[in-house]
Amino acid sequence: METTRLGWVGLGNMGVPMAQRLLNAGFAVTVYNRSKGKAVEGAALAATPGDVAQQSDVVFIMVSDDRAVREVFDGGLWMGGKTFVNMSTVSPEVSREVAVRCAALGSHYVDAPVSGSVKQAQEGQLVIMAGGSVDVVERVTPLLAHLGKLVLRVGDTGAGNTAKLAINVLLGIHAQGLAEALLFARAHGVKAEDFLTIVNNGAMSNVFARIKGEAILHDNYTAAFALKHIAKDLRLAKAEGLETPLAEAAYETYQAAAAAMGEEDIIAVIKTVER
């Protein structure tokens, strides 16, 4: 894209490294975070979301949930002539709602949530699922390419959100499955490290199992992806009609786990399963 004026709203665990990558690529970036005290080195710091939009042609949004999306738009993002790229994991409904209002103002909206965690955000190796019109997605793809190894348009507005909810349903089931299998093995005399060695050298090997297996072995549940977020995503998926057996089981488990350890990492679900 010809423009170099970018905005970033939301400086959480993912937002900071993603905004930093755009800065490192040579773009001028203006940032805003709802809670004070967060910044990105080299970026201009705005006092309100509206200030970000005033100083930007394309505004990226990476916040926690539907309410936060509405809050930042009501904080000054409702204006014409802009392109908004919402990378938050939120409901398809809120994306369709915001997109309609943006269009009425003469702005564009793309939902572009990501698959990946902090390490992938730092390295520009995220997988980005985009929903929106073909031409707008094509226009923002060169920017998104600085953030991810894959940018894939999966449909119209809200489709990116739907794809992300589906991915996170699988993520939740996988994390709970890993926890349950490890606990079963350990309860019958197989050491956790031996079980994980088997997993990581067989057909079930994957990056998630390696990273989360190490976290379990070291009793390290510092959040890379907080358990409260997977609980929220499963609630969103359930609201979209997901009622299959494994998803229902994961939904119940993570709602219970989030109440006790929502700020810990997703793999802390092992503590709920163990109890």
Side-chain angles (χ1 to χ4, degrees):
M1 298 182 71
E2 295 179 1
T3 180
T4 57
R5 299 197 315 157
L6 305 181
W8 195 281
V9 175
L11 298 176
N13 288 345
M14 296 290 284
V16 169
M18 293 167 75
Q20 188 66 62
R21 285 195 61 84
L22 294 174
L23 276 162
N24 293 346
F27 295 99
V29 182
T30 302
V31 301
Y32 168 80
N33 195 61
R34 289 179 298 155
S35 58
K36 305 305 178 186
K38 291 189 175 182
V40 178
E41 186 177 354
L45 185 60
T48 68
D51 291 340
V52 173
Q54 289 284 0
Q55 299 172 48
S56 308
D57 301 299
V58 179
V59 178
F60 294 86
I61 301 158
M62 188 60 141
V63 294
S64 55
D65 53 25
D66 288 20
R67 184 174 68 174
V69 169
R70 293 186 176 102
E71 181 180 316
V72 296
F73 269 92
D74 288 343
L77 296 187
W78 299 120
M79 61 178 65
K82 309 294 180 181
T83 297
F84 297 98
V85 182
N86 188 1
M87 308 195 77
S88 318
T89 300
V90 293
S91 69
E93 177 187 3
V94 79
S95 278
R96 289 190 286 265
E97 170 192 318
V98 172
V100 167
R101 189 164 173 185
C102 283
L105 293 169
S107 286
H108 304 287
Y109 177 93
V110 172
D111 49 295
V114 306
S115 179
S117 193
V118 175
K119 181 177 173 61
Q120 289 75 39
Q122 292 169 338
E123 297 176 353
Q125 292 295 298
L126 297 167
V127 172
I128 301 171
M129 299 149 270
S133 67
V134 173
D135 59 330
V136 178
V137 172
E138 285 179 351
R139 288 205 303 272
V140 299
T141 292
L143 295 174
L144 294 173
H146 293 289
L147 306 174
K149 63 181 180 181
L150 173 67
V151 180
L152 181 64
R153 180 184 177 272
V154 293
D156 293 328
T157 303
N161 297 135
T162 300
K164 177 59 188 290
L165 293 181
I167 286 293
N168 278 12
V169 168
L170 181 59
L171 175 66
I173 291 170
H174 186 75
Q176 184 171 338
L178 177 65
E180 291 186 14
L182 188 150
L183 289 171
F184 174 77
R186 193 168 67 187
H188 290 80
V190 178
K191 292 189 291 186
E193 53 265 40
D194 289 343
F195 174 74
L196 290 168
T197 296
I198 294 166
V199 170
N200 292 328
N201 283 277
M204 296 299 295
S205 175
N206 58 73
V207 173
F208 181 84
R210 289 196 295 274
I211 294 173
K212 300 310 179 184
E214 283 295 313
I216 292 170
L217 291 179
H218 293 93
D219 200 30
N220 176 16
Y221 300 108
T222 302
F225 179 53
L227 198 151
K228 65 181 180 182
H229 294 317
I230 192 69
K232 176 262 295 182
D233 296 343
L234 288 168
R235 289 195 299 273
L236 291 176
K238 189 174 179 66
E240 291 294 313
L242 184 71
E243 297 178 345
T244 49
L246 287 177
E248 285 284 345
Y251 172 85
E252 296 295 339
T253 300
Y254 285 103
Q255 303 315 305
M261 59 192 77
E263 299 298 331
E264 296 186 59
D265 191 73
I266 182 175
I267 202 60
V269 71
I270 193 170
K271 294 189 281 186
T272 293
V273 174
E274 190 169 24
R275 293 187 189 126

